[in-house]
Amino acid sequence: MAEILAYVYKDGFFHLLHPVTKIVFIVVVSLMCIISTNPVFLFALVFVILLIAYLGKLYTEVIEQSRLIIMMSIVFIIITVITMPNGIIIGYLIPIGFPVLGGTVPVTWGAIEIGVILSLRFMILIYAFQIFIISTKPRDLVHTLEKMRMPIDYVLMFIIALRFIPTLQIEGIRIHEAQLARGYNPGPGFMGRIRSVAPIIVPLVSNALLRANVLGLTIDMRGYRTITRTHVREMELVFSDYAVMGSLVCIACGFFVLLVLQIM
Amino acid sequence: MIGIQEISYTYPHTVQEALHHISLFVPKGQCVMVTGPSGAGKTTLCLAAAGILYHEYGGKKEGRVSVEEKDVAGYASLAELAKKIGIVFDDPEAQMVFTTVEEEILSALEHRGLDAAVIEERLDAIMKATYLEELRNRSPHNLSGGQKQRVALAATLALGNEILILDEPTSELDERATQRITGILKTLKKQGKTILFVEHKYQHFRDMIDMLVVLENGRISAAGDPDTVMRDERIHRMVIPDFTGIRDVDTESGTVARRQEPPVISVHDLSYLYGDIPALNDISLEIHSGEFVAIVGENGSGKTTLVRHFNNLLVPTSGDVVIRGMNTRHCSVAQLARYVGLVFQNPDHMFFADTVKEEVAFGLRNLKRTGEEKIIDESLDNVGLLHTKHLYPRWLSRGERQRLAIACVIAMQPEIIILDEPTTGLDGNEARLVMRILKDLQKKGHTLIIITHNREMARSCADRIILMEKGTVVSDTSEGVP
């Protein structure tokens, strides 16, 4: 089982990039996907990010989380169709012949287009952030963010938040197994998940709170919050980093030119 | 080095004192072991000694704690105290901050103002001393409990502090790993380090401790030279588990008789892979009704992986597991829960209800058993917890929570009861009580399977010992039984 947002020890090209390069990548990709409203461009961006994941030997980890991301995207589209009717009506979510409610929720091209754009943006942000996090050692990230003058407490908060995701995932599975062994059968699907909330979430949250307390004390007692640090095995910016950053800047400039010329 | 004078402490929102007028002095270069029942205040004492109670906790505090003859109040923050004291907490998982073992230790070293070359040198030395070299690039989250404990200890040792406070540093370690930690602590003591640690494994540490402190109900009930303290018979029983007499409940004849019946568990050529890593290799065995089986072996030998197949939490990669004639491949975990009860190593993974009674009722309702009230009372009575029926489960001590986990399972009346390390973190009296309860359950007809590192306990309580090593069964002492 792949752990969500946990660093993956591999030797892909994305792993070798300096965290600063990856941060530039995240910034450029995020800006382009937020600004662009062109579904074709956004779709191409999803494809490019998945290609980067493939070339960086991170495809398996990225694809394993795809089911959840696609489900969320479908939910986005449905919510948009219901809440933002716009443009040509192509049908109705509840057929017209249905008593009372029939024909009350129109499905429009405009709403579908907005929903697709939102979903693609969501996919791009999640995939890009995922390959950034799973290819970057937290220690390298701490060093980089510190050098970028981010306060150490915020850096540690960010790292701890990330570190808790796989911990909660593993803990959740253990608790689920413990309850199954007690004959608990919440049933499949969405309702099963709703039913399993109390027996799983309560111990999960209780244990996580205790852990968070110990983790906070550990950080203090190991001196992670002190400013003085000897920098060991730090990553240096090398030619490939400059090349990637240069390319990203060129891509960003090209994007803005196309935007200004209203080609996109 | 550490001076504790008349410390009393009450946690916020509670009325009972966790520590009551505790005074203790740990001189430089000495090693002090603190022991006692769960809930006695041992962890709170560690927090007090490290200055954490003063700087981080609310609640009612009295008395004075000094570190290197300076009141902890005189240290500006925990970061200042961290230059003097290294502490290992009792939950190793919570102390893993980074994503590889090497990063975890290296990051601790980077904040000590050392040269880069010295850091690299110390990193290698610590990895070697704690036997973590092979795990260098592994994620700490995926290690076993014992391995995590070694990583937490290594990260603290890397700090190079003169004072070490360790809260149950070997609770999840097997015999060999405990001996390794004992060896490390002996070396540190020779180097002049001051060590205050909480432990239950007195015999492993006897050679190196200068003072033994016994804590009960937040009070020091005995303290001083270990041999003198241990002369008190009551203390002796509490510190060193005594399992003699437990086997005398005359279950041997019953067990032998039922060996003629078909086995309740049959394992045929079972192999299991975690990803590409083989965890079990071609295991075959049979367990008969009424047996008390101990599965022993070192951390990572495959003990827990084996028993997780008995209720289908794991599906065999190859081979079969048959429970009461049913192949587990064709049964759900919930179906098997009627026949196989599993008490996990950490009881806190199961508790979610508001009262002890509701916690026990959960399993009964899942199996739709009738006569709920009577069964709950009987189950709680069996483990000596009837008086806690209306309490919140997480308020109970570690030993009580362990017994509650057993009550939750026995209420479901499964024929087979499996317990993963049932005495971890318990003192001698509690461990004996738990084993007594298990032996009584065997007497009532249940089949008991325990997983343990403690071979002494296995020899004293079980009728059959299965020794595992690297995913295989290397010995099964029942083979000589007719």
PDB file of all heavy atoms in Angstrom, chain B residues 35-38 200 214 216 233-243 246 399 403 423 425-437:
ATOM      1  N   THR B  35      10.581   2.235  38.499  1.00  0.00           N
ATOM      2  CA  THR B  35       9.619   1.223  38.078  1.00  0.00           C
ATOM      3  C   THR B  35       8.348   1.338  38.924  1.00  0.00           C
ATOM      4  O   THR B  35       8.297   2.134  39.864  1.00  0.00           O
ATOM      5  CB  THR B  35      10.255  -0.187  38.154  1.00  0.00           C
ATOM      6  OG1 THR B  35       9.438  -1.106  37.448  1.00  0.00           O
ATOM      7  CG2 THR B  35      10.451  -0.655  39.584  1.00  0.00           C
ATOM      8  N   GLY B  36       7.355   0.537  38.579  1.00  0.00           N
ATOM      9  CA  GLY B  36       6.096   0.594  39.324  1.00  0.00           C
ATOM     10  C   GLY B  36       4.936   0.245  38.418  1.00  0.00           C
ATOM     11  O   GLY B  36       5.112   0.102  37.207  1.00  0.00           O
ATOM     12  N   PRO B  37       3.736   0.117  38.982  1.00  0.00           N
ATOM     13  CA  PRO B  37       2.567  -0.266  38.180  1.00  0.00           C
ATOM     14  C   PRO B  37       2.211   0.822  37.165  1.00  0.00           C
ATOM     15  O   PRO B  37       2.625   1.970  37.318  1.00  0.00           O
ATOM     16  CB  PRO B  37       1.439  -0.403  39.214  1.00  0.00           C
ATOM     17  CG  PRO B  37       2.035  -0.198  40.528  1.00  0.00           C
ATOM     18  CD  PRO B  37       3.397   0.360  40.383  1.00  0.00           C
ATOM     19  N   SER B  38       1.437   0.452  36.141  1.00  0.00           N
ATOM     20  CA  SER B  38       0.991   1.468  35.189  1.00  0.00           C
ATOM     21  C   SER B  38       0.071   2.439  35.915  1.00  0.00           C
ATOM     22  O   SER B  38      -0.694   2.049  36.797  1.00  0.00           O
ATOM     23  CB  SER B  38       0.292   0.827  33.997  1.00  0.00           C
ATOM     24  OG  SER B  38      -0.652  -0.101  34.420  1.00  0.00           O
ATOM     25  N   HIS B 200      10.595  -1.879  33.099  1.00  0.00           N
ATOM     26  CA  HIS B 200      10.025  -3.025  33.814  1.00  0.00           C
ATOM     27  C   HIS B 200      10.983  -4.208  33.790  1.00  0.00           C
ATOM     28  O   HIS B 200      10.747  -5.195  34.472  1.00  0.00           O
ATOM     29  CB  HIS B 200       8.699  -3.439  33.177  1.00  0.00           C
ATOM     30  CG  HIS B 200       7.603  -2.440  33.418  1.00  0.00           C
ATOM     31  ND1 HIS B 200       7.089  -2.188  34.663  1.00  0.00           N
ATOM     32  CD2 HIS B 200       6.938  -1.621  32.571  1.00  0.00           C
ATOM     33  CE1 HIS B 200       6.144  -1.263  34.570  1.00  0.00           C
ATOM     34  NE2 HIS B 200       6.036  -0.905  33.308  1.00  0.00           N
ATOM     35  N   VAL B 214      10.849   2.819  43.321  1.00  0.00           N
ATOM     36  CA  VAL B 214       9.552   2.201  43.039  1.00  0.00           C
ATOM     37  C   VAL B 214       8.466   3.239  43.303  1.00  0.00           C
ATOM     38  O   VAL B 214       8.387   3.802  44.395  1.00  0.00           O
ATOM     39  CB  VAL B 214       9.323   0.947  43.912  1.00  0.00           C
ATOM     40  CG1 VAL B 214       7.977   0.310  43.579  1.00  0.00           C
ATOM     41  CG2 VAL B 214      10.452  -0.045  43.719  1.00  0.00           C
ATOM     42  N   GLU B 216       4.424   4.214  43.318  1.00  0.00           N
ATOM     43  CA  GLU B 216       3.053   3.662  43.375  1.00  0.00           C
ATOM     44  C   GLU B 216       2.097   4.785  43.699  1.00  0.00           C
ATOM     45  O   GLU B 216       2.334   5.535  44.656  1.00  0.00           O
ATOM     46  CB  GLU B 216       2.955   2.583  44.460  1.00  0.00           C
ATOM     47  CG  GLU B 216       3.652   1.295  44.111  1.00  0.00           C
ATOM     48  CD  GLU B 216       3.587   0.290  45.250  1.00  0.00           C
ATOM     49  OE1 GLU B 216       4.459   0.360  46.140  1.00  0.00           O
ATOM     50  OE2 GLU B 216       2.672  -0.529  45.260  1.00  0.00           O
ATOM     51  N   GLU B 233       9.580  -8.442  49.819  1.00  0.00           N
ATOM     52  CA  GLU B 233       8.936  -9.451  48.968  1.00  0.00           C
ATOM     53  C   GLU B 233       7.862  -8.851  48.047  1.00  0.00           C
ATOM     54  O   GLU B 233       7.728  -9.234  46.883  1.00  0.00           O
ATOM     55  CB  GLU B 233       8.297 -10.510  49.854  1.00  0.00           C
ATOM     56  CG  GLU B 233       8.262 -11.875  49.191  1.00  0.00           C
ATOM     57  CD  GLU B 233       7.827 -12.935  50.173  1.00  0.00           C
ATOM     58  OE1 GLU B 233       8.558 -13.191  51.153  1.00  0.00           O
ATOM     59  OE2 GLU B 233       6.740 -13.470  49.955  1.00  0.00           O
ATOM     60  N   ARG B 234       7.112  -7.899  48.597  1.00  0.00           N
ATOM     61  CA  ARG B 234       6.035  -7.278  47.808  1.00  0.00           C
ATOM     62  C   ARG B 234       6.618  -6.519  46.614  1.00  0.00           C
ATOM     63  O   ARG B 234       6.130  -6.627  45.493  1.00  0.00           O
ATOM     64  CB  ARG B 234       5.252  -6.301  48.713  1.00  0.00           C
ATOM     65  CG  ARG B 234       3.966  -5.783  48.108  1.00  0.00           C
ATOM     66  CD  ARG B 234       3.308  -4.754  49.020  1.00  0.00           C
ATOM     67  NE  ARG B 234       4.078  -3.521  49.090  1.00  0.00           N
ATOM     68  CZ  ARG B 234       3.989  -2.538  48.203  1.00  0.00           C
ATOM     69  NH1 ARG B 234       3.150  -2.634  47.191  1.00  0.00           N
ATOM     70  NH2 ARG B 234       4.716  -1.439  48.325  1.00  0.00           N
ATOM     71  N   ILE B 235       7.684  -5.767  46.875  1.00  0.00           N
ATOM     72  CA  ILE B 235       8.348  -5.016  45.795  1.00  0.00           C
ATOM     73  C   ILE B 235       8.926  -6.000  44.776  1.00  0.00           C
ATOM     74  O   ILE B 235       8.813  -5.807  43.563  1.00  0.00           O
ATOM     75  CB  ILE B 235       9.485  -4.130  46.376  1.00  0.00           C
ATOM     76  CG1 ILE B 235       8.940  -3.123  47.385  1.00  0.00           C
ATOM     77  CG2 ILE B 235      10.279  -3.452  45.246  1.00  0.00           C
ATOM     78  CD1 ILE B 235       8.221  -1.945  46.833  1.00  0.00           C
ATOM     79  N   HIS B 236       9.529  -7.062  45.280  1.00  0.00           N
ATOM     80  CA  HIS B 236      10.154  -8.066  44.415  1.00  0.00           C
ATOM     81  C   HIS B 236       9.134  -8.612  43.422  1.00  0.00           C
ATOM     82  O   HIS B 236       9.394  -8.733  42.223  1.00  0.00           O
ATOM     83  CB  HIS B 236      10.748  -9.187  45.278  1.00  0.00           C
ATOM     84  CG  HIS B 236      11.660 -10.095  44.516  1.00  0.00           C
ATOM     85  ND1 HIS B 236      11.187 -11.110  43.711  1.00  0.00           N
ATOM     86  CD2 HIS B 236      13.006 -10.129  44.417  1.00  0.00           C
ATOM     87  CE1 HIS B 236      12.214 -11.733  43.156  1.00  0.00           C
ATOM     88  NE2 HIS B 236      13.340 -11.154  43.566  1.00  0.00           N
ATOM     89  N   ARG B 237       7.937  -8.923  43.915  1.00  0.00           N
ATOM     90  CA  ARG B 237       6.884  -9.478  43.058  1.00  0.00           C
ATOM     91  C   ARG B 237       6.428  -8.462  42.010  1.00  0.00           C
ATOM     92  O   ARG B 237       6.068  -8.810  40.898  1.00  0.00           O
ATOM     93  CB  ARG B 237       5.679  -9.901  43.901  1.00  0.00           C
ATOM     94  CG  ARG B 237       5.766 -11.336  44.429  1.00  0.00           C
ATOM     95  CD  ARG B 237       4.385 -11.850  44.803  1.00  0.00           C
ATOM     96  NE  ARG B 237       3.667 -10.946  45.686  1.00  0.00           N
ATOM     97  CZ  ARG B 237       3.773 -10.923  47.000  1.00  0.00           C
ATOM     98  NH1 ARG B 237       4.566 -11.778  47.600  1.00  0.00           N
ATOM     99  NH2 ARG B 237       3.083 -10.076  47.729  1.00  0.00           N
ATOM    100  N   MET B 238       6.464  -7.190  42.435  1.00  0.00           N
ATOM    101  CA  MET B 238       6.025  -6.146  41.510  1.00  0.00           C
ATOM    102  C   MET B 238       7.067  -5.916  40.406  1.00  0.00           C
ATOM    103  O   MET B 238       6.733  -5.687  39.247  1.00  0.00           O
ATOM    104  CB  MET B 238       5.822  -4.832  42.285  1.00  0.00           C
ATOM    105  CG  MET B 238       5.261  -3.702  41.451  1.00  0.00           C
ATOM    106  SD  MET B 238       5.479  -2.117  42.248  1.00  0.00           S
ATOM    107  CE  MET B 238       4.565  -2.357  43.760  1.00  0.00           C
ATOM    108  N   VAL B 239       8.331  -6.000  40.790  1.00  0.00           N
ATOM    109  CA  VAL B 239       9.397  -5.668  39.836  1.00  0.00           C
ATOM    110  C   VAL B 239       9.723  -6.845  38.925  1.00  0.00           C
ATOM    111  O   VAL B 239       9.923  -6.676  37.724  1.00  0.00           O
ATOM    112  CB  VAL B 239      10.663  -5.195  40.597  1.00  0.00           C
ATOM    113  CG1 VAL B 239      11.813  -4.916  39.621  1.00  0.00           C
ATOM    114  CG2 VAL B 239      10.351  -3.945  41.405  1.00  0.00           C
ATOM    115  N   ILE B 240       9.780  -8.032  39.507  1.00  0.00           N
ATOM    116  CA  ILE B 240      10.098  -9.214  38.692  1.00  0.00           C
ATOM    117  C   ILE B 240       8.856 -10.099  38.606  1.00  0.00           C
ATOM    118  O   ILE B 240       8.423 -10.653  39.618  1.00  0.00           O
ATOM    119  CB  ILE B 240      11.276 -10.008  39.300  1.00  0.00           C
ATOM    120  CG1 ILE B 240      12.505  -9.098  39.395  1.00  0.00           C
ATOM    121  CG2 ILE B 240      11.588 -11.246  38.463  1.00  0.00           C
ATOM    122  CD1 ILE B 240      13.693  -9.738  40.054  1.00  0.00           C
ATOM    123  N   PRO B 241       8.291 -10.232  37.430  1.00  0.00           N
ATOM    124  CA  PRO B 241       7.085 -11.057  37.301  1.00  0.00           C
ATOM    125  C   PRO B 241       7.359 -12.494  37.757  1.00  0.00           C
ATOM    126  O   PRO B 241       8.391 -13.066  37.407  1.00  0.00           O
ATOM    127  CB  PRO B 241       6.782 -11.022  35.798  1.00  0.00           C
ATOM    128  CG  PRO B 241       7.572  -9.902  35.244  1.00  0.00           C
ATOM    129  CD  PRO B 241       8.740  -9.700  36.133  1.00  0.00           C
ATOM    130  N   ASP B 242       6.449 -12.996  38.536  1.00  0.00           N
ATOM    131  CA  ASP B 242       6.597 -14.367  39.016  1.00  0.00           C
ATOM    132  C   ASP B 242       5.422 -15.176  38.458  1.00  0.00           C
ATOM    133  O   ASP B 242       4.278 -14.981  38.865  1.00  0.00           O
ATOM    134  CB  ASP B 242       6.583 -14.361  40.554  1.00  0.00           C
ATOM    135  CG  ASP B 242       6.620 -15.774  41.106  1.00  0.00           C
ATOM    136  OD1 ASP B 242       6.901 -16.712  40.325  1.00  0.00           O
ATOM    137  OD2 ASP B 242       6.357 -15.933  42.313  1.00  0.00           O
ATOM    138  N   PHE B 243       5.726 -16.051  37.528  1.00  0.00           N
ATOM    139  CA  PHE B 243       4.646 -16.815  36.893  1.00  0.00           C
ATOM    140  C   PHE B 243       4.540 -18.228  37.468  1.00  0.00           C
ATOM    141  O   PHE B 243       3.804 -19.049  36.928  1.00  0.00           O
ATOM    142  CB  PHE B 243       4.876 -16.888  35.384  1.00  0.00           C
ATOM    143  CG  PHE B 243       4.872 -15.536  34.715  1.00  0.00           C
ATOM    144  CD1 PHE B 243       6.036 -15.005  34.182  1.00  0.00           C
ATOM    145  CD2 PHE B 243       3.711 -14.792  34.630  1.00  0.00           C
ATOM    146  CE1 PHE B 243       6.035 -13.768  33.571  1.00  0.00           C
ATOM    147  CE2 PHE B 243       3.706 -13.546  34.020  1.00  0.00           C
ATOM    148  CZ  PHE B 243       4.874 -13.030  33.488  1.00  0.00           C
ATOM    149  N   ILE B 246       1.162 -20.709  37.930  1.00  0.00           N
ATOM    150  CA  ILE B 246       0.086 -20.432  36.971  1.00  0.00           C
ATOM    151  C   ILE B 246      -0.264 -21.697  36.185  1.00  0.00           C
ATOM    152  O   ILE B 246      -1.420 -21.990  35.919  1.00  0.00           O
ATOM    153  CB  ILE B 246       0.492 -19.278  36.024  1.00  0.00           C
ATOM    154  CG1 ILE B 246       0.429 -17.981  36.813  1.00  0.00           C
ATOM    155  CG2 ILE B 246      -0.421 -19.226  34.803  1.00  0.00           C
ATOM    156  CD1 ILE B 246       0.664 -16.746  36.022  1.00  0.00           C
ATOM    157  N   GLY B 399      -2.390  -1.065  32.314  1.00  0.00           N
ATOM    158  CA  GLY B 399      -2.702  -2.443  32.681  1.00  0.00           C
ATOM    159  C   GLY B 399      -4.202  -2.702  32.637  1.00  0.00           C
ATOM    160  O   GLY B 399      -4.654  -3.748  32.165  1.00  0.00           O
ATOM    161  N   ARG B 403      -6.465  -5.199  30.204  1.00  0.00           N
ATOM    162  CA  ARG B 403      -7.473  -6.164  30.684  1.00  0.00           C
ATOM    163  C   ARG B 403      -8.837  -5.880  30.056  1.00  0.00           C
ATOM    164  O   ARG B 403      -9.602  -6.792  29.761  1.00  0.00           O
ATOM    165  CB  ARG B 403      -7.546  -6.117  32.211  1.00  0.00           C
ATOM    166  CG  ARG B 403      -6.393  -6.894  32.850  1.00  0.00           C
ATOM    167  CD  ARG B 403      -6.569  -6.994  34.338  1.00  0.00           C
ATOM    168  NE  ARG B 403      -6.110  -5.798  35.025  1.00  0.00           N
ATOM    169  CZ  ARG B 403      -6.633  -5.299  36.123  1.00  0.00           C
ATOM    170  NH1 ARG B 403      -7.677  -5.876  36.673  1.00  0.00           N
ATOM    171  NH2 ARG B 403      -6.122  -4.227  36.695  1.00  0.00           N
ATOM    172  N   THR B 423       1.561  -8.547  27.808  1.00  0.00           N
ATOM    173  CA  THR B 423       2.095  -7.973  29.057  1.00  0.00           C
ATOM    174  C   THR B 423       3.038  -6.799  28.825  1.00  0.00           C
ATOM    175  O   THR B 423       3.689  -6.344  29.763  1.00  0.00           O
ATOM    176  CB  THR B 423       2.832  -9.060  29.878  1.00  0.00           C
ATOM    177  OG1 THR B 423       3.905  -9.577  29.081  1.00  0.00           O
ATOM    178  CG2 THR B 423       1.919 -10.185  30.282  1.00  0.00           C
ATOM    179  N   GLY B 425       4.577  -3.363  28.846  1.00  0.00           N
ATOM    180  CA  GLY B 425       4.355  -2.160  29.656  1.00  0.00           C
ATOM    181  C   GLY B 425       3.709  -2.416  31.001  1.00  0.00           C
ATOM    182  O   GLY B 425       3.337  -1.475  31.696  1.00  0.00           O
ATOM    183  N   LEU B 426       3.552  -3.684  31.374  1.00  0.00           N
ATOM    184  CA  LEU B 426       2.907  -3.984  32.659  1.00  0.00           C
ATOM    185  C   LEU B 426       3.965  -4.363  33.701  1.00  0.00           C
ATOM    186  O   LEU B 426       5.002  -4.932  33.368  1.00  0.00           O
ATOM    187  CB  LEU B 426       1.921  -5.147  32.506  1.00  0.00           C
ATOM    188  CG  LEU B 426       0.844  -5.013  31.430  1.00  0.00           C
ATOM    189  CD1 LEU B 426      -0.149  -6.169  31.546  1.00  0.00           C
ATOM    190  CD2 LEU B 426       0.115  -3.691  31.544  1.00  0.00           C
ATOM    191  N   ASP B 427       3.670  -4.062  34.969  1.00  0.00           N
ATOM    192  CA  ASP B 427       4.610  -4.476  36.016  1.00  0.00           C
ATOM    193  C   ASP B 427       4.385  -5.956  36.340  1.00  0.00           C
ATOM    194  O   ASP B 427       3.497  -6.608  35.771  1.00  0.00           O
ATOM    195  CB  ASP B 427       4.463  -3.589  37.255  1.00  0.00           C
ATOM    196  CG  ASP B 427       3.201  -3.876  38.048  1.00  0.00           C
ATOM    197  OD1 ASP B 427       2.841  -5.052  38.204  1.00  0.00           O
ATOM    198  OD2 ASP B 427       2.561  -2.932  38.520  1.00  0.00           O
ATOM    199  N   GLY B 428       5.193  -6.487  37.254  1.00  0.00           N
ATOM    200  CA  GLY B 428       5.150  -7.914  37.556  1.00  0.00           C
ATOM    201  C   GLY B 428       3.781  -8.398  37.997  1.00  0.00           C
ATOM    202  O   GLY B 428       3.295  -9.433  37.534  1.00  0.00           O
ATOM    203  N   ASN B 429       3.144  -7.635  38.890  1.00  0.00           N
ATOM    204  CA  ASN B 429       1.833  -8.052  39.404  1.00  0.00           C
ATOM    205  C   ASN B 429       0.781  -8.053  38.300  1.00  0.00           C
ATOM    206  O   ASN B 429      -0.027  -8.977  38.193  1.00  0.00           O
ATOM    207  CB  ASN B 429       1.377  -7.109  40.529  1.00  0.00           C
ATOM    208  CG  ASN B 429       2.178  -7.335  41.792  1.00  0.00           C
ATOM    209  OD1 ASN B 429       2.666  -8.449  42.039  1.00  0.00           O
ATOM    210  ND2 ASN B 429       2.356  -6.289  42.577  1.00  0.00           N
ATOM    211  N   GLU B 430       0.823  -6.982  37.479  1.00  0.00           N
ATOM    212  CA  GLU B 430      -0.172  -6.880  36.394  1.00  0.00           C
ATOM    213  C   GLU B 430       0.041  -7.985  35.365  1.00  0.00           C
ATOM    214  O   GLU B 430      -0.918  -8.571  34.860  1.00  0.00           O
ATOM    215  CB  GLU B 430      -0.054  -5.519  35.711  1.00  0.00           C
ATOM    216  CG  GLU B 430      -0.536  -4.366  36.569  1.00  0.00           C
ATOM    217  CD  GLU B 430      -0.088  -3.019  36.031  1.00  0.00           C
ATOM    218  OE1 GLU B 430       1.017  -2.941  35.460  1.00  0.00           O
ATOM    219  OE2 GLU B 430      -0.830  -2.055  36.186  1.00  0.00           O
ATOM    220  N   ALA B 431       1.312  -8.256  35.052  1.00  0.00           N
ATOM    221  CA  ALA B 431       1.619  -9.302  34.071  1.00  0.00           C
ATOM    222  C   ALA B 431       1.131 -10.651  34.582  1.00  0.00           C
ATOM    223  O   ALA B 431       0.533 -11.440  33.840  1.00  0.00           O
ATOM    224  CB  ALA B 431       3.118  -9.339  33.807  1.00  0.00           C
ATOM    225  N   ARG B 432       1.362 -10.901  35.867  1.00  0.00           N
ATOM    226  CA  ARG B 432       0.915 -12.168  36.448  1.00  0.00           C
ATOM    227  C   ARG B 432      -0.615 -12.264  36.419  1.00  0.00           C
ATOM    228  O   ARG B 432      -1.170 -13.314  36.091  1.00  0.00           O
ATOM    229  CB  ARG B 432       1.431 -12.296  37.888  1.00  0.00           C
ATOM    230  CG  ARG B 432       1.084 -13.622  38.527  1.00  0.00           C
ATOM    231  CD  ARG B 432       1.573 -13.745  39.949  1.00  0.00           C
ATOM    232  NE  ARG B 432       0.937 -14.895  40.570  1.00  0.00           N
ATOM    233  CZ  ARG B 432       1.346 -16.143  40.447  1.00  0.00           C
ATOM    234  NH1 ARG B 432       2.410 -16.414  39.720  1.00  0.00           N
ATOM    235  NH2 ARG B 432       0.696 -17.140  41.016  1.00  0.00           N
ATOM    236  N   LEU B 433      -1.275 -11.140  36.734  1.00  0.00           N
ATOM    237  CA  LEU B 433      -2.738 -11.122  36.736  1.00  0.00           C
ATOM    238  C   LEU B 433      -3.271 -11.442  35.335  1.00  0.00           C
ATOM    239  O   LEU B 433      -4.195 -12.259  35.187  1.00  0.00           O
ATOM    240  CB  LEU B 433      -3.232  -9.749  37.204  1.00  0.00           C
ATOM    241  CG  LEU B 433      -4.741  -9.519  37.211  1.00  0.00           C
ATOM    242  CD1 LEU B 433      -5.447 -10.529  38.115  1.00  0.00           C
ATOM    243  CD2 LEU B 433      -5.068  -8.100  37.658  1.00  0.00           C
ATOM    244  N   VAL B 434      -2.680 -10.816  34.322  1.00  0.00           N
ATOM    245  CA  VAL B 434      -3.135 -11.060  32.945  1.00  0.00           C
ATOM    246  C   VAL B 434      -2.947 -12.528  32.585  1.00  0.00           C
ATOM    247  O   VAL B 434      -3.855 -13.178  32.034  1.00  0.00           O
ATOM    248  CB  VAL B 434      -2.382 -10.138  31.946  1.00  0.00           C
ATOM    249  CG1 VAL B 434      -2.597 -10.597  30.508  1.00  0.00           C
ATOM    250  CG2 VAL B 434      -2.854  -8.701  32.091  1.00  0.00           C
ATOM    251  N   MET B 435      -1.789 -13.089  32.926  1.00  0.00           N
ATOM    252  CA  MET B 435      -1.534 -14.485  32.571  1.00  0.00           C
ATOM    253  C   MET B 435      -2.469 -15.422  33.333  1.00  0.00           C
ATOM    254  O   MET B 435      -2.907 -16.447  32.821  1.00  0.00           O
ATOM    255  CB  MET B 435      -0.069 -14.853  32.829  1.00  0.00           C
ATOM    256  CG  MET B 435       0.924 -14.104  31.965  1.00  0.00           C
ATOM    257  SD  MET B 435       0.477 -13.965  30.215  1.00  0.00           S
ATOM    258  CE  MET B 435       0.586 -15.652  29.688  1.00  0.00           C
ATOM    259  N   ARG B 436      -2.788 -15.051  34.558  1.00  0.00           N
ATOM    260  CA  ARG B 436      -3.728 -15.843  35.371  1.00  0.00           C
ATOM    261  C   ARG B 436      -5.105 -15.853  34.684  1.00  0.00           C
ATOM    262  O   ARG B 436      -5.764 -16.891  34.599  1.00  0.00           O
ATOM    263  CB  ARG B 436      -3.816 -15.190  36.752  1.00  0.00           C
ATOM    264  CG  ARG B 436      -4.621 -15.921  37.753  1.00  0.00           C
ATOM    265  CD  ARG B 436      -3.748 -16.753  38.653  1.00  0.00           C
ATOM    266  NE  ARG B 436      -4.316 -18.086  38.774  1.00  0.00           N
ATOM    267  CZ  ARG B 436      -3.709 -19.104  39.358  1.00  0.00           C
ATOM    268  NH1 ARG B 436      -2.504 -18.970  39.829  1.00  0.00           N
ATOM    269  NH2 ARG B 436      -4.285 -20.272  39.450  1.00  0.00           N
ATOM    270  N   ILE B 437      -5.520 -14.672  34.221  1.00  0.00           N
ATOM    271  CA  ILE B 437      -6.815 -14.563  33.525  1.00  0.00           C
ATOM    272  C   ILE B 437      -6.818 -15.468  32.291  1.00  0.00           C
ATOM    273  O   ILE B 437      -7.777 -16.197  32.031  1.00  0.00           O
ATOM    274  CB  ILE B 437      -7.087 -13.088  33.124  1.00  0.00           C
ATOM    275  CG1 ILE B 437      -7.360 -12.242  34.365  1.00  0.00           C
ATOM    276  CG2 ILE B 437      -8.254 -12.981  32.150  1.00  0.00           C
ATOM    277  CD1 ILE B 437      -7.275 -10.739  34.117  1.00  0.00           C
TER     278      ILE B 437
END
